[in-house]
Amino acid sequence: MYLHVGTDVVVNLRQVIAILDLRSAGRGQATVELLERLRREGRLTDISGGGAKSLVLTRSGGILSPISSTTLKRRSVSNTEVCHL
């Protein structure tokens, strides 16, 4: 199953490690350091157009998404439920 994270980008759900809400977690020192490290290593993709609401952390890096973490979670759960039918 795949998760649509914004614009024309989809991610295999098996690759998703975490979905972080940048409004709350984005202020934490650990999140700031993680974002800096991903940028420095060239493993951060920004598809948000400057309005990132969430960070989708994958096995290969991170994606800054304009879609809220709540919506992304709901999408991931509904995709999983469809898979089990």
Side-chain angles (χ1 to χ4, degrees):
M1 296 279 90
Y2 292 91
L3 175 64
H4 176 255
V5 295
T7 61
D8 293 329
V9 179
V10 292
V11 176
N12 187 321
L13 276 173
R14 292 180 182 190
Q15 298 299 312
V16 175
I17 296 169
I19 300 171
L20 304 175
D21 180 354
L22 290 179
R23 289 173 287 184
S24 58
R27 296 183 210 132
Q29 185 61 30
T31 305
V32 170
E33 290 174 6
L34 174 62
L35 287 169
E36 288 174 2
R37 180 177 177 186
L38 290 171
R39 276 192 188 99
R40 195 172 50 248
E41 295 174 354
R43 298 187 309 132
L44 185 66
T45 303
D46 188 351
I47 61 168
S48 71
K53 293 181 181 176
S54 61
L55 170 64
V56 180
L57 192 59
T58 68
R59 295 177 191 264
S60 61
I63 302 168
L64 292 172
S65 172
I67 301 173
S68 75
S69 59
T70 305
T71 300
L72 291 173
K73 179 185 177 200
R74 186 175 33 235
R75 288 180 183 180
S76 69
V77 171
S78 68
N79 280 340
T80 304
E81 290 172 357
V82 169
C83 180
H84 293 297
L85 293 178

